[in-house]
Structure formats: structure tokens, C-alpha cells
């Protein structure tokens, strides 16, 4: 079923994104497609295998490669400034080990908007489905978390994690004219972001990017504002929120396969449980 008037909105969350990957498996099982998808960070990474219609591809990556040092290691961090091995994730995996179906991805019957942050200007910079190319550079940029990944230089801009300025990117879909939304979140109900990164750390590691210091200070308030808006839209009958229903024991850098696979499969269950609510929203 093509949900022609509903936008799919995806937050990040690092390895907590395995929950979202499970939800996307439920969408594949129910043959749901969306005309407009906005995604940042891990949400942008994990939506790709859904759009290429490759069931359980993300689960296979976790089963076979998440403990591989090429995927995640301090060695990557020391050598390339990224704790995640982005060359392995975005080159070796899709081109050799678990080939990505680019043709099916590009023929997906909807638009993808991947959000990144220009850390010089503080703007949200968006890239469409076609801009992904065969190198996934916009997705790399959207996934580049401060301290854990390098700045990505693209189109004359210095880009990092899209979740810095658009953590729950419904506003991009609203600008495109959508009034109904499916939100896939990676935190339990009741979560509020509180911690701020000490400015001295930002000045030390990112001395040439003062706008990034400001963004990081504002980030908790901005996340909480967007979360409150999503919850209000659900109360108004304009949205469905899908999020973990069991207490999370995984943080954004957790690579324990058993925990990740359990969270993935929980996501499948939550996605299937949400199906009737999604259909109801589509008919409202």
C-alpha cells in the first residue's frame, strides 16, 4: 500500500537505530511505501535497505560484521578520526560483501531527504535520493557524530550529523506540504534530552567552528521541542509514533550483537503492532 499523503520521519540514535531497522522490516512485510521520507544519522543509514527492498539486510550486517574491527574500533578512530569504519560500511559492504540494490533503491516510489548540518553556518542542508550516488556521501555526513567521526566536505560545505539541528526532522516534510506523519523514534516514551557538551570540549576539538559550539549548547532544548511537537501531532490524530516499548539498555555506541539483534526484532514487532494505527491514519 502506498500511503500517498503521509510522510515518514526518522530520527537517529547511533546503534539504537537497530530498532528503526526492525520497524522498516515490518513495513516491507506489510508492503507499505511512503511518498516522502525525511531522515538523519542512523535513520538515514538504515532506511536504505528498506528502500532497496532487501529484507533483513541490516540484520545480516549486525550478525556478520558489527564486531569486525573494520566496522567499529578504536583503531579506526586513531587512524581516520571515525570510530565507525565508514569506508568499510559505505564501500566494502554495499559493493562487495552485501551488495546494495541501487536500481531498486532509485526506483522506490517516493522521495528521500537526508539531513546534514553545515557546522560553519548552522544550517540544515538536505540531499535527495539521487544525491546519494554510489558513495553515500550525504549519509556519511548525516552520520558523522561530533568527536566520533570526521567532518565531511561536500559541495564547498563542512558537514556533520543531521541530528544536530533536525533531530526529529518533521519540519522538512511539513515544508513539503505534508500534514500527516509516521514517526520512528529510538527512545522510550518519557525521554528528555538533558546533557550538554561542555563548551571547553567544543572549543578544544572544534576551535574553527564556533557555530557548532552554539548548536551543541542548544541541542537538548531543540530535541525536546521537536519531540513535544511530534507527541502533540499524535494527540491531534495527525501522526503515529513508533518507539521502543521495552526499557532500552543500549547506547548509541553499543556493539553487542545479541542486544542489537533483540532490539531489531523488537522493532519488527512494534512496526507490525502499529499497522492498524497507520491504516487508520491513512483513512482519516
Amino acid at each position: 500500500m502506498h500511503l500517498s499523503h503521509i510522510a515518514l520521519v526518522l530520527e537517529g540514535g547511533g546503534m539504537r537505530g537497530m530498532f528503526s531497522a526492525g520497524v522498516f522490516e515490518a513495513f516491507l512485510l506489510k508492503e507499505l511505501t511512503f511518498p516522502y521520507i525525511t531522515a538523519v544519522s542512523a535513520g538515514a543509514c538504515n532506511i536504505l535497505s528498506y528502500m532497496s527492498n532487501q529484507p533483513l539486510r541490516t540484520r545480516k550486517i549486525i550478525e556478520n560484521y558489527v564486531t569486525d574491527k573494520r566496522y567499529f574500533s578504536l583503531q579506526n578512530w586513531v587512524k581516520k578520526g571515525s570510530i565507525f569504519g565508514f569506508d568499510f560500511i559505505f564501500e566494502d559492504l554495499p559493493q562487495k560483501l552485501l551488495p546494495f540494490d541501487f536500481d531498486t533503491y532509485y526506483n522506490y516510489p517516493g522521495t528521500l531527504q537526508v539531513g546534514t548540518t553545515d557546522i560553519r553556518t548552522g544550517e540544515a542542508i538536505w540531499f535527495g535520493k539521487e544525491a546519494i550516488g554510489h558513495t553515500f556521501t550525504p549519509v556519511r555526513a548525516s552520520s558523522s557524530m561530533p568527536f566520533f567521526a570526521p567532518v565531511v566536505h561536500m559541495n564547498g560545505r563542512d558537514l556533520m550529523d543531521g541530528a544536530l539541528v533536525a533531530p526529529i526532522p518533521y519540519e522538512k516534510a511539513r515544508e513539503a506540504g505534508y500534514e500527516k506523519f509516521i514517526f520512528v523514534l529510538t527512545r522510550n516514551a518519557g525521554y528528555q534530552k538533558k546533557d550538554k557538551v561542555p563548551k571547553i570540549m567544543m572549543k578544544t576539538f572544534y576551535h574553527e567552528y564556533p557555530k557548532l559550539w552554539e548548536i551543541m549548547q542548544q541541542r537538548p532544548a531543540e530535541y525536546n521541542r521537536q519531540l513535544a511537537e511530534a507527541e502533540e501531532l499524535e494527540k491531534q490524530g495527525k501522526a503515529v509514533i513508533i518507539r521502543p516499548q521495552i526499557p532500552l539498555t543500549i547506547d548509541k555506541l553499543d556493539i553487542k550483537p545479541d542486544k542489537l539483534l533483540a532490539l531489531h526484532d523488537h522493532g519488527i514487532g512494534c512496526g507490525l503492532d502499529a499497522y492498524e494505527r497507520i491504516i487508520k491514519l491513512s483513512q482519516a
Side-chain angles (χ1 to χ4, degrees):
M1 176 183 291
H2 188 62
L3 303 170
S4 59
H5 302 297
I6 298 177
L8 178 61
V9 179
L10 312 175
E11 76 165 326
M15 299 310 293
R16 290 191 304 272
M18 286 305 106
F19 172 80
S20 302
V23 174
F24 306 151
E25 292 296 331
F27 292 166
L28 287 175
L29 288 168
K30 292 295 187 179
E31 299 183 336
L32 297 179
T33 57
F34 300 84
Y36 199 85
I37 303 170
T38 59
V40 294
S41 199
C45 291
N46 293 326
I47 197 61
L48 298 177
S49 294
Y50 155 80
M51 293 177 67
S52 66
N53 195 23
Q54 292 178 271
L56 300 177
R57 183 174 178 274
T58 304
R59 198 180 201 283
K60 292 173 185 175
I61 291 173
I62 298 305
E63 288 177 327
N64 297 316
Y65 299 108
V66 74
T67 58
D68 190 314
K69 290 183 178 180
R70 294 172 295 175
Y71 186 99
F72 180 101
S73 68
L74 290 175
Q75 184 177 343
N76 290 332
W77 198 23
V78 172
K79 285 186 175 182
K80 298 186 177 181
S82 177
I83 201 163
F84 290 97
F86 280 168
D87 289 345
F88 178 73
I89 292 169
F90 293 114
E91 294 177 21
D92 293 351
L93 279 172
Q95 294 176 16
K96 302 173 185 176
L97 301 174
L98 280 172
F100 183 73
D101 188 341
F102 285 97
D103 289 341
T104 299
Y105 163 78
Y106 283 117
N107 285 313
Y108 179 83
T111 296
L112 172 66
Q113 290 290 318
V114 172
T116 67
T117 299
D118 184 322
I119 59 173
R120 288 198 181 276
T121 67
E123 299 173 87
I125 306 299
W126 297 89
F127 295 90
K129 179 170 65 177
E130 294 74 17
I132 303 303
H134 278 65
T135 63
F136 303 99
T137 303
V139 181
R140 290 190 189 217
S142 189
S143 305
S144 289
M145 297 181 288
F147 304 111
F148 298 110
V151 177
V152 174
H153 307 286
M154 185 177 182
N155 298 346
R157 294 182 180 272
D158 295 346
L159 303 175
M160 293 197 82
D161 190 351
L164 297 177
V165 291
I168 304 173
Y170 70 94
E171 290 171 325
K172 181 66 175 175
R174 178 176 277 170
E175 290 170 5
Y178 289 88
E179 298 179 354
K180 296 180 182 180
F181 310 90
I182 305 297
F183 293 94
V184 181
L185 307 182
T186 57
R187 293 282 196 177
N188 295 120
Y191 172 78
Q192 291 282 285
K193 189 175 287 293
K194 299 176 182 178
D195 297 335
K196 294 181 180 179
V197 177
K199 188 174 285 189
I200 186 64
M201 287 182 63
M202 298 303 302
K203 290 183 177 180
T204 300
F205 286 89
Y206 297 101
H207 55 88
E208 64 180 298
Y209 298 111
K211 195 66 180 180
L212 181 57
W213 313 345
E214 180 183 326
I215 291 169
M216 293 297 283
Q217 291 297 301
Q218 296 173 346
R219 191 181 180 202
E222 184 63 10
Y223 178 90
N224 295 337
R225 180 189 70 80
Q226 293 186 13
L227 176 60
E229 177 71 10
E231 292 174 339
E232 180 60 29
L233 286 167
E234 186 176 51
K235 289 178 183 177
Q236 294 174 4
K238 298 178 181 179
V240 169
I241 295 176
I242 306 173
R243 54 185 162 193
Q245 298 300 303
I246 57 175
L248 287 177
T249 60
I250 289 177
D251 66 28
K252 63 184 178 183
L253 299 179
D254 201 324
I255 59 167
K256 297 181 181 65
D258 290 348
K259 292 171 66 175
L260 293 171
L261 293 173
L263 183 60
H264 176 278
D265 294 348
H266 177 59
I268 295 176
C270 290
L272 293 174
D273 287 346
Y275 178 72
E276 294 300 329
R277 289 187 289 142
I278 292 171
I279 297 305
K280 183 178 179 180
L281 179 66
S282 72
Q283 296 172 343

